[in-house]
Amino acid sequence: MDSYSKTTATSWFSNFMGSLSGIIIGPLLFIAAVIGLYFVEGQINYAKLAKNAPVFAAAENNPNAAQYPLVAINGTVALETTLGDGSYLIPQKYLMYEKRTEIYAWEETKSSSTINDSYGKTITRDTVTYSQTWTTNPRPSKSFEHPEGHENPAPLVNPITSGTQAIFKLGTYTVSTNSLELPVPKPLQLSPATVTVQAPSLIADNAIYTFINAKSSPDKPQIGDIRTTYSVLCPDQQNATVFGRVEGSNISVALLNEISSNLSSEGTFKRLFLSSPREAVATMNSEYAQKLRWGRFITFFVMFLGLLMLLSPFSTFLSIIPIIGGLAGMAVFATALLVAALCFGLTLILFNVMLAPFYVLAILMSLIGLLTWFLKRKHVETT
C-alpha cells in the first residue's frame, strides 16, 4: 500500500466565493429530492398485487386460471436440459448461471480532512492511497494521480457473463424465461464435479485462479492474475411459485394495466419464487419496504444537503470571526436539518394523498356524513 499526501490552504475570501455556488446548486438539489421522493412513493408494491392473485396447483391445468389477469401457479420445477458456459462450468441442470471474472489490479482511494484556523482560512490535507485488490473493472493507470509504479493491466472483456435456459416445466405448465424475473443465484461450490480446470489454473477458496507467473498464489496474488467464480440457480425438483398469466399450458407475462386500471400500460409482472405463494408475497412485501426506506433516506439526505448548501454562505461569511463562525455553522446545520425534516414530512404527506385518492374520498365522505349527522341532530333539537 502506497500513500501520498499534500496540504493546501484556502483563504476566507475564496471559501466565501466558493460557498456562493450553493445558492444555485442547493435549490436544484432540493428540487431533485422532491422529484425523487415522488417516484419513490409512487413505486409499485407487487406484494399487494400478488396477495390478491388466485393460487392454482401446477399438477393440473385448471381452465379457470386463464380467466384472471394475474395468478400464482405453485408446483414442482422440472429442468429437461442442462446448461453450461463452454468454459469451466460442466453442463448440469441449472436454470441460469453467472460467471464473474476479476483481475488483480491497483485501486486508488482518495480521502480528505479539513480544519479552520482562527482567521477563517481552511487547511485541507488530501491523501491518495494505492492498494491492490480484485476488481472486474480496473482503472487505467493514466487516470491515477501517481501512475508511476501503479501500472494496471488492460481491462477484461465481458468480466460478468450469464446464461439462462429458454424454458422449464412447472407441473403441467411450460414457463419461458423471457421477461421472467428470477431469484438471485447462489455461489456454486467449485469442485471437479462442477467445473473442469486444467493447469496452470487451479481451484482454491471456491474460486478458479489463473496466475501470470510462478510467484503467484491465492494468498499472494500478483498484478494481472485472474480469479473466476460462479453463481447458479438450480431449482430442479424444488417447490416453486410463478406469478404471471396463464395462456393455455403456458405461463406468460401479466399486464399491469389489466390487473389494475391505475397502473401503467407498459408494465408487466412475471416472477419466479422458490417458495410457497404466501412466502413469496412476504418476500415482495419486505423488498418493497426496504426500497421505500432507502429511497426516503436518500431523498431526505439530498434535501438536507441542498438546504445546507443554500445556507452555507452565512456560516462561511461569519467564519472570519472564530467563535461566531463556529456558532453560525452549528446554527446553519441545525436549521437545514429542521427545515429538511419539515419539508420532507409535508412532501411525504402530500404525495401520499396525491397517490391515494381513495383516502381523500374517504375523508371527504366522512366529513360530509359527520356534517349531515350534526345538521339532522340540530334540526331534531330545534323541533
Side-chain angles (χ1 to χ4, degrees), residues 276-288:
S276 67
R278 178 178 295 181
E279 293 170 328
V281 170
T283 299
M284 284 185 279
N285 197 47
S286 176
E287 291 172 349
Y288 173 77

Side-chain angles (χ1 to χ4, degrees), residues 17-150:
M17 295 303 295
S19 68
L20 293 178
S21 62
I23 298 176
I24 299 175
I25 300 175
L28 294 178
L29 287 177
F30 186 90
I31 294 172
V34 173
I35 296 173
L37 183 60
Y38 176 81
F39 286 102
V40 167
E41 295 300 312
Q43 64 184 321
I44 300 172
N45 185 357
Y46 288 96
K48 288 185 177 180
L49 304 181
K51 185 179 180 180
N52 297 323
V55 179
F56 293 93
E60 60 178 347
N61 193 326
N62 192 323
N64 294 328
Q67 301 176 6
Y68 299 93
L70 175 67
V71 297
I73 306 297
N74 179 254
T76 302
V77 174
L79 300 177
E80 299 178 341
T81 58
T82 58
L83 182 67
D85 71 336
S87 179
Y88 299 116
L89 188 65
I90 297 175
Q92 295 193 38
K93 288 189 174 182
Y94 304 124
L95 180 57
M96 68 92 66
Y97 74 83
E98 181 180 276
K99 177 183 178 183
R100 184 182 182 88
T101 304
E102 300 170 296
I103 193 167
Y104 204 63
W106 287 102
E107 180 182 56
E108 182 184 72
T109 305
K110 296 181 179 180
S111 60
S112 180
S113 60
T114 60
I115 58 172
N116 296 321
D117 66 8
S118 57
Y119 299 99
K121 183 184 295 184
T122 300
I123 309 299
T124 304
R125 182 179 178 83
D126 297 311
T127 302
V128 180
T129 303
Y130 295 91
S131 58
Q132 299 175 359
T133 187
W134 292 103
T135 178
T136 57
N137 187 27
R139 280 182 55 187
S141 299
K142 62 182 181 181
S143 67
F144 290 160
E145 287 195 15
H146 301 275
E148 61 282 355
H150 308 114

